[in-house]
Amino acid sequence: MIHIPILRAGRSYRSLNTIRVSHIKTGEPLVEVSQANRGLIAKDLLDIALQKEILGQRPVAELISICKEAARYFITATLPLDGAVQSPTDYIQQVSGTTGLPEALCRENLFKIQGVLENIDTVLDGLTRGLDLQVLDTGWGVQNGHTLSYVCETNALGAVLPSNSPGVHSLWVPAIPLKVPLVLKPGREEPWTPYRIAQAFIAAGAPVEAFSFYPTDYAGANEILVRCGRSMLFGGGSTVAPWVNTPRVEIHGPGRSKIVIHEEAQNNWEQYLDLIVESVAKNGGRSCINASGVWVTADGRKIAEALTERLARIAPKPLDHPEAGIAAWANPKAAHGISSLIDRHLKEHGATELTTGDRVVELDGCTFLRPTVIWCEDTEHPLANTEFPFPFVTVVEVPSTELVESMGATLVATAITEDASLTQELIATPLIDRLNLGAIPTNQISWDSPHEGNLFEHLYRQRAFQLG
């Protein structure tokens, strides 16, 4: 059986404590994953400053070159997997096998990660707003006539990672050229991607000491968050809630991303249906940047009905089907539980489901949730601002004067409006993390513009600096 080890500052370690993750379709064990206990993590992180010193000896320019070389290894190379090897095709099939993400979408995510690695200089330029990164080599520098100095506020970046989509792992990749070692806790069903990225970096010449990889339980994850000076935490509302007010932990929780359509007399909403469908359903609807709400000021019911008809065309297919667009659920009980929760909320006044037929579908040995559209007449209804990890969307109609206040916290908002007053409200609100003005899908991100937080600002602080 395939085994994925712990990486202790780059050194492979096989634990006596392992878990087996089964293939989502066959139920047969696919991979055995070594588990790190809390004590092992705590012991290893006592030496993390040494790992940072080793990584810090490499110039930023060299680390950027390594990133670009790692892109090639990640997408084309057969890489080591604890005594075995993993080709790119193996990787795609393995990720699909344990997460339920169709192979076609796994392949798209493979290219997304490769793109971030290959274009890392553009990514860093966006994160640092054009800073000359030699400042990180020398400690200080002069730019635009100003003397600058930045200090790193951690010896490592901890990352407690999800299993929903491989593409999210591109968010922590810039830590390496920013000279910060990684302490990674993978999701239970998706240890493949962070491990493969680490192996691609090592094959490209990165210091092995920069990569620690700890499959672990809740206590081990907390140890990483407590001991790392800066961390990223991915998870649902209950997972991230204890850390929301901890500045050294960057939260990647529910996105509740939205499309806002405000049209007065034009009534041209039909031309935006393709944009809405992509925003809702791209990547199987699993990402926090997928739209879970369409908030409109008119024609809400018509928009919801048209969207229902379009999303109904996206049917479950076998995971190896080239046109598969919906992910299967690794835990069928979770799919049934979410479906039951939606049904309970629909019994409350103010929301109507427009999709027809069974929401839960069994196909080819897998369990799927079909795309679901809710027409919501009450902004306070529990489903009005709810996100689920499949193509689920609520269409809400609200007066323009109440829209921004009622839509709540939103990771990405795409606003289609020519109303100057509403535009200014959207720009002014702190509740929107990323604002797209115009017909831009919520899932469309730019390498030079972070969509959730800024990793450079999370890791580094500009300090006052004078030369005598």
Side-chain angles (χ1 to χ4, degrees):
M1 183 186 301
I2 300 168
H3 173 252
I4 296 180
I6 296 165
L7 293 180
R8 305 176 67 183
R11 292 177 291 109
S12 181
Y13 177 83
R14 186 169 191 139
S15 174
L16 294 176
N17 180 23
T18 62
I19 63 166
R20 291 186 172 185
V21 184
S22 298
H23 194 287
I24 193 171
K25 179 179 174 180
T26 66
E28 294 296 319
L30 178 59
V31 61
E32 185 177 53
V33 185
S34 279
Q35 298 294 291
N37 62 45
R38 182 176 183 177
L40 177 79
I41 296 169
K43 178 177 181 294
D44 285 357
L45 293 185
L46 291 175
D47 296 326
I48 196 67
L50 298 176
Q51 327 310 340
K52 185 173 188 295
E53 183 179 350
I54 292 170
L55 182 60
Q57 291 170 357
R58 302 289 188 94
V60 171
E62 179 185 344
L63 294 174
I64 288 174
S65 295
I66 287 172
C67 275
K68 292 175 179 289
E69 187 70 2
R72 183 177 66 83
Y73 279 103
F74 182 75
I75 201 166
T76 65
T78 296
L79 295 171
L81 192 63
D82 196 43
V85 292
Q86 181 194 62
S87 70
T89 300
D90 294 334
Y91 162 77
I92 289 168
Q93 294 173 347
Q94 289 159 349
V95 172
S96 179
T98 58
T99 67
L101 196 68
E103 290 181 13
L105 300 186
C106 292
R107 190 172 292 105
E108 288 182 10
N109 280 273
L110 179 82
F111 283 102
K112 176 181 177 179
I113 294 168
Q114 181 248 355
V116 170
L117 287 164
E118 195 168 74
N119 294 275
I120 193 65
D121 42 3
T122 304
V123 173
L124 294 173
D125 192 62
L127 290 173
T128 65
R129 297 175 178 86
L131 179 70
D132 182 349
L133 292 176
Q134 283 189 342
V135 168
L136 305 187
D137 294 332
T138 60
W140 68 278
V142 177
Q143 188 159 331
N144 298 325
H146 300 286
T147 304
L148 300 174
S149 178
Y150 285 85
V151 59
C152 187
E153 300 203 284
T154 183
N155 286 325
L157 174 66
V160 177
L161 302 167
S163 294
N164 62 319
S165 174
V168 302
H169 298 292
S170 61
L171 295 175
W172 49 261
V173 160
I176 294 300
L178 291 175
K179 301 192 173 193
V180 179
L182 292 160
V183 179
L184 306 173
K185 186 269 177 195
R188 185 184 185 277
E189 286 83 27
E190 222 284 71
W192 311 100
T193 304
Y195 191 86
R196 183 171 177 84
I197 293 174
Q199 293 302 321
F201 264 112
I202 292 168
V208 298
E209 294 85 355
F211 301 93
S212 293
F213 176 84
Y214 297 113
T216 188
D217 56 12
Y218 177 82
N222 277 353
E223 197 69 28
I224 291 171
L225 296 174
V226 167
R227 290 186 176 270
C228 290
R230 290 292 184 271
S231 296
M232 308 169 80
L233 171 61
F234 295 79
S238 59
T239 299
V240 303
W243 302 92
V244 165
N245 296 316
T246 306
R248 57 186 180 77
V249 179
E250 184 177 85
I251 300 297
H252 296 260
R256 300 186 179 90
S257 297
K258 300 175 180 70
I259 293 173
V260 175
I261 301 178
H262 175 268
E263 293 185 300
E264 294 178 347
Q266 299 97 322
N267 198 30
N268 291 327
W269 55 263
E270 291 98 336
Q271 67 180 299
Y272 304 117
L273 276 175
D274 286 344
L275 178 147
I276 298 173
V277 170
E278 177 177 346
S279 296
V280 171
K282 191 73 171 178
N283 202 40
R286 280 196 165 190
S287 302
C288 56
I289 55 177
N290 284 116
S292 56
V294 179
W295 288 58
V296 302
T297 56
D299 297 312
R301 178 79 187 216
K302 291 180 181 178
I303 293 171
E305 290 172 349
L307 182 57
T308 299
E309 190 275 329
R310 290 290 302 276
L311 288 174
R313 303 175 192 175
I314 306 175
K317 291 181 171 63
L319 298 182
D320 58 357
H321 193 287
E323 296 178 2
I326 303 178
W329 287 71
N331 181 357
K333 290 182 179 179
H336 286 277
I338 285 177
S339 185
S340 297
L341 176 64
I342 293 170
D343 288 337
R344 287 199 300 272
H345 284 319
L346 285 169
K347 293 177 181 178
E348 303 178 40
H349 177 73
T352 305
E353 181 171 8
L354 299 184
T355 42
T356 58
D358 294 332
R359 188 182 300 119
V360 181
V361 176
E362 306 289 338
L363 176 72
D364 197 35
C366 297
T367 301
F368 298 85
L369 286 176
R370 291 173 56 240
T372 298
V373 180
I374 307 295
W375 160 237
C376 202
E377 301 172 78
D378 181 0
T379 60
E380 298 297 322
H381 191 278
L383 294 177
N385 213 349
T386 296
E387 175 181 285
F388 294 114
F390 75 105
F392 173 92
V393 60
T394 305
V395 181
V396 184
E397 186 172 322
V398 59
S400 60
T401 54
E402 302 173 14
L403 195 152
V404 175
E405 181 180 356
S406 60
M407 65 190 287
T410 301
L411 176 59
V412 184
T414 285
I416 299 169
T417 178
E418 294 181 2
D419 184 274
S421 176
L422 178 58
T423 299
Q424 281 306 119
E425 276 194 79
L426 290 165
I427 290 172
T429 181
L431 296 176
I432 298 174
D433 280 12
R434 182 186 184 111
L435 177 61
N436 299 327
L437 291 178
I440 303 170
T442 60
N443 62 291
Q444 181 177 311
I445 59 176
S446 173
W447 285 319
D448 63 353
S449 182
H451 78 272
E452 187 171 9
N454 183 308
L455 185 59
F456 177 70
E457 293 176 355
H458 190 49
L459 298 175
Y460 281 85
R461 170 175 57 86
Q462 185 178 357
R463 61 181 168 194
F465 185 82
Q466 298 181 89
L467 286 173

